[in-house]
Amino acid sequence: MPQPRKQQSAKPAKSALPATEAPRRTSARRKLPPTKSPYFHHPSEEEQDSNEDEESAYGGDDADDDETGGSNHVSDEEDDDELQSEAGEEEEVEPQKKRRRAASGAVSGSTKKHKNSGDGVLIAYRAPSPGGTAYSDNTVHPNTLKFLKALAKHNDRAWLRENDPLYRAGKADFEKFVESVNEEMAQKVDDTIPELPVKDLVFRIHRDIRFSNDQTPYKTHFSVAWSRTGRKGPYASYFLSIEPGKSFAGGGIWHAEAKALALIRRDIDKNPKRLKAVLTGENFAGEFFGSVKKLDEKGAVKAFTAKNSEDALKTAPKTYPKDHKDIELLRLRSFTIGKQIPDNDVTSPDFKDKLTAIFKNMEPLVGYNFLGS
């Protein structure tokens, strides 16, 4: 009887051609380093950390720096990835030379060129500073205000891409000034303020437009806050905003969180003399209320509550009677003070001294024990 044949497993057929690995596609795009502005150049700008050079301005929202001190934010790293991606795309379609020409026309109105003796590349003359003003760490340069004024007129990503060198120069100038003030805050103003890195103090220029009817992507000012924890955190702070015609120095605690607000109101209820002593101080009232003499408690409270009335309650807070003797202070949700600064002060050689003097007169309010600690 014949035996059934054993089934042999089929062997895979050998390919006539040797297997070759498919070539990987390589992107033709390459990221170019950000160009330095030939119009704005701070003497010590090259000393900045190399990480700063990787930052760009024209992509993403400033969800992590809304100047409220909140913590519901998008990370800086995620935003920077998006910015660098947009920068790479832009630089592919618009070479550096064209961007440089566009920048020169936007600021100086002229595009004079000369040949570089080394490689014959056309480069722009550096626009002269207004009035021959030199850059200084003790003040803000007029060119920085000029950039912010132009940004207010052209508040869109395309314009800022074309004028990125001007943004970087203005940002560097402002941060050098902040660094200079930072070194003296503990000595001349408030010894509870630590000397933190500038990146922990300065707000980014992006606006948080996620829930806003105003979809313009950028703030039209540079701003910074000093507190025990920098620009973020629950503590009262010193604040500076630089904007043409609208520069402002302020301090205190703005939009206090629920727990902090409860502590403040409890202190006002139990010991109102503490806050009133701050408000009636001669230097404080003279600087922020325009008083030539010491104000009485009633006048000081009226002036202070008027400056913080925008977000104040219309009636008494819970657990406090409507006829409380200090109901005007108890209704407040912000406890801030501030002063407008004219442009000629912002760009004056002694601006740092003027600013620290304002902050020194503000210190009794910032140093008030808002958190009960």
Side-chain angles (χ1 to χ4, degrees), residues 37-40 103-104 106-107 147 159 163-171:
S37 169
Y39 309 100
F40 301 93
S104 65
V107 174
F147 161 74
W159 183 88
N163 294 276
D164 182 61
L166 312 186
Y167 159 72
R168 292 179 181 279
K171 179 175 179 287

Side-chain angles (χ1 to χ4, degrees), residues 243-297:
E243 181 175 6
K246 300 178 182 178
S247 296
F248 176 85
I253 188 164
W254 185 65
H255 283 191
E257 297 178 355
K259 290 183 179 180
L261 189 56
L263 291 172
I264 296 168
R265 285 172 174 165
R266 186 180 67 178
D267 189 70
I268 292 172
D269 179 39
K270 295 184 177 298
N271 189 13
K273 293 288 184 182
R274 292 183 64 247
L275 181 55
K276 291 178 180 178
V278 171
L279 304 182
T280 56
E282 186 173 354
N283 292 339
F284 185 90
E287 185 78 74
F288 303 110
F289 301 149
S291 175
V292 295
K293 61 180 181 179
K294 187 177 177 68
L295 287 176
D296 59 16
E297 288 185 354

Side-chain angles (χ1 to χ4, degrees), residues 68-341:
T68 64
S71 58
N72 184 19
H73 305 304
V74 178
S75 69
D76 288 354
E77 291 78 6
E78 293 175 0
D79 205 13
D80 284 342
D81 289 342
E82 182 183 349
L83 306 187
Q84 292 177 359
S85 174
E86 287 198 25
E89 294 175 4
E90 176 63 24
E91 287 167 349
E92 181 184 16
V93 300
E94 186 172 16
Q96 289 184 16
K97 186 165 66 176
K98 290 184 179 180
R99 292 177 62 195
R100 193 174 295 136
R101 288 174 181 171
S104 65
V107 174
S108 65
S110 65
T111 55
K112 290 184 178 180
K113 304 283 195 273
H114 71 82
K115 283 192 175 182
N116 184 303
S117 58
D119 53 12
V121 176
L122 291 175
I123 62 174
Y125 280 113
R126 180 175 297 168
S129 298
T133 306
Y135 280 90
S136 169
D137 292 350
N138 297 325
T139 188
V140 175
H141 198 276
N143 280 352
T144 300
L145 294 184
K146 194 172 183 179
F147 161 74
L148 291 171
K149 185 176 182 180
L151 178 61
K153 186 177 180 181
H154 308 281
N155 196 335
D156 61 77
R157 290 183 172 88
W159 183 88
L160 198 59
R161 287 191 191 103
E162 295 174 357
N163 294 276
D164 182 61
L166 312 186
Y167 159 72
R168 292 179 181 279
K171 179 175 179 287
D173 179 49
F174 179 68
E175 290 183 351
K176 287 295 179 182
F177 173 73
V178 169
E179 185 176 359
S180 179
V181 175
N182 194 30
E183 294 170 355
E184 299 188 0
M185 284 296 290
Q187 298 176 3
K188 294 186 176 181
V189 178
D190 187 341
D191 60 8
T192 68
I193 303 299
E195 189 174 338
L196 297 174
V198 170
K199 67 180 181 64
D200 294 335
L201 307 174
V202 173
F203 293 94
R204 300 181 67 176
I205 202 170
H206 306 87
R207 293 183 62 250
D208 184 357
I209 59 175
R210 293 172 299 175
F211 310 109
S212 175
N213 292 327
D214 179 5
Q215 292 294 299
T216 51
Y218 307 113
K219 304 167 190 172
T220 54
H221 60 269
F222 288 131
S223 54
V224 58
W226 288 270
S227 77
R228 297 182 191 181
T229 53
R231 71 178 184 270
K232 298 181 181 180
Y235 297 101
S237 64
Y238 302 89
F239 178 79
L240 172 66
S241 173
I242 297 299
E243 181 175 6
K246 300 178 182 178
S247 296
F248 176 85
I253 188 164
W254 185 65
H255 283 191
E257 297 178 355
K259 290 183 179 180
L261 189 56
L263 291 172
I264 296 168
R265 285 172 174 165
R266 186 180 67 178
D267 189 70
I268 292 172
D269 179 39
K270 295 184 177 298
N271 189 13
K273 293 288 184 182
R274 292 183 64 247
L275 181 55
K276 291 178 180 178
V278 171
L279 304 182
T280 56
E282 186 173 354
N283 292 339
F284 185 90
E287 185 78 74
F288 303 110
F289 301 149
S291 175
V292 295
K293 61 180 181 179
K294 187 177 177 68
L295 287 176
D296 59 16
E297 288 185 354
K298 186 176 181 180
V301 168
K302 183 177 180 180
F304 183 70
T305 54
K307 290 180 177 291
N308 291 278
S309 60
E310 183 177 354
D311 63 342
L313 298 176
K314 302 299 181 184
T315 185
K318 293 180 180 179
T319 73
Y320 293 100
K322 295 181 180 180
D323 58 350
H324 193 288
K325 60 184 178 65
D326 293 305
I327 191 62
E328 288 183 326
L329 290 173
L330 290 173
R331 286 174 179 163
L332 298 181
R333 287 189 285 192
S334 294
F335 299 80
T336 62
I337 204 69
K339 184 176 184 177
Q340 295 288 332
I341 305 175

Side-chain angles (χ1 to χ4, degrees), residues 27-33 87-89 91-92 96:
S27 173
R29 297 178 181 176
R30 62 187 183 92
K31 294 181 180 178
L32 299 176
E89 294 175 4
E91 287 167 349
E92 181 184 16
Q96 289 184 16

